[in-house]
Amino acid sequence: MCSVRSEDPVTDRLIDISEASLISVRDQCLIVQSEGDEPASIPIVDIGSVVIHAPRARISTGALSALAAKGVAPVICDSNHTPCAVVQPLNGFHAASQRQRLQAEVRGGTRGRLWREIVRNKIHAQAAVLLTRGIDPKTLADLANKVSSHDRKNIEGRASRFYWDNLFDDESFRRSDDSHWLNARLNYGYAIIRSLVVRAIVANGLNPALG
């Protein structure tokens, strides 16, 4: 089965492949042929992410190449439908090599400050989510103010523990418990978001592996 989800009817579609399928490309469209179904045809230009979690799905090199040219990073899932890989495109702007050289040369102090801002913004976002559940965001706001360069005191970890302990009503939930059904869904969502982030990074001529 191939399902197409999109908030916008035209662009950034999520292609979810959950049954044995042959995935190919023809006339700038991704063709998904599932057993017993009519082929689904989706314009490559409209695709934002592809998630494949059918054990018997097959994808052609032509399809992978076409998706890479669009900057799409397909997500591959294992037999438990848990994301296990992202196929990272290598294409970018013509100045990609120069940008990646500059990216690799960024000094540790700058990296540390950038990481501090990333962690702070993450914690503020967590506080905003908990606020919608009526939980006072002061604890997370205070932690965000304590984040230093490189987050050497692991404030991110402390904030995450508070966040997950208060996000769900299910007292049995632990973010580290891979067997919990909520974690399976969270991991799936994170994989999709990660593929979109990889796509944006690569499209700007940067290499996500360099941090």
Side-chain angles (χ1 to χ4, degrees), residues 1-169:
M1 179 178 180
C2 168
S3 61
V4 180
R5 309 172 194 169
S6 176
E7 294 182 0
D8 186 308
V10 178
T11 61
D12 291 333
R13 295 177 176 178
L14 164 61
I15 310 303
D16 184 280
I17 299 170
S18 57
E19 293 184 359
S21 307
L22 176 61
I23 307 155
S24 58
V25 64
R26 184 173 66 242
D27 298 329
Q28 297 302 309
C29 289
L30 194 71
I31 308 299
V32 182
Q33 175 67 69
S34 301
E35 295 178 356
D37 293 332
E38 290 295 318
S41 178
I42 309 100
I44 296 285
V45 70
D46 293 348
I47 297 174
S49 182
V50 175
V51 180
I52 304 173
H53 54 99
R56 293 174 55 207
R58 293 175 294 162
I59 184 167
S60 71
T61 54
L64 287 172
S65 177
L67 290 169
K70 171 64 164 46
V72 175
V75 177
I76 311 299
C77 300
D78 62 20
S79 58
N80 294 318
H81 306 285
T82 300
C84 61
V86 175
V87 183
Q88 176 186 323
L90 296 178
N91 63 302
F93 289 118
H94 64 280
S97 60
Q98 181 180 2
R99 291 190 179 188
Q100 290 178 23
R101 178 178 59 79
L102 293 173
Q103 180 187 2
E105 293 174 353
V106 172
R107 295 181 180 274
T110 300
R111 289 178 182 271
R113 290 190 294 273
L114 290 172
W115 184 244
R116 178 187 61 198
E117 294 309 308
I118 290 172
V119 172
R120 282 180 175 174
N121 280 286
K122 175 185 176 181
I123 295 173
H124 284 308
Q126 290 173 328
V129 171
L130 292 185
L131 184 60
T132 65
R133 293 181 51 80
I135 298 172
D136 189 343
K138 184 178 185 304
T139 297
L140 288 179
D142 289 345
L143 286 172
N145 291 331
K146 295 178 180 178
V147 180
S148 60
S149 178
H150 294 285
D151 189 25
R152 291 186 174 89
K153 295 182 179 180
N154 193 27
I155 301 298
E156 179 186 14
R158 293 168 58 186
S160 291
R161 282 192 294 274
F162 181 87
Y163 176 71
W164 293 117
D165 286 347
N166 290 276
L167 181 60
F168 300 118
D169 295 326

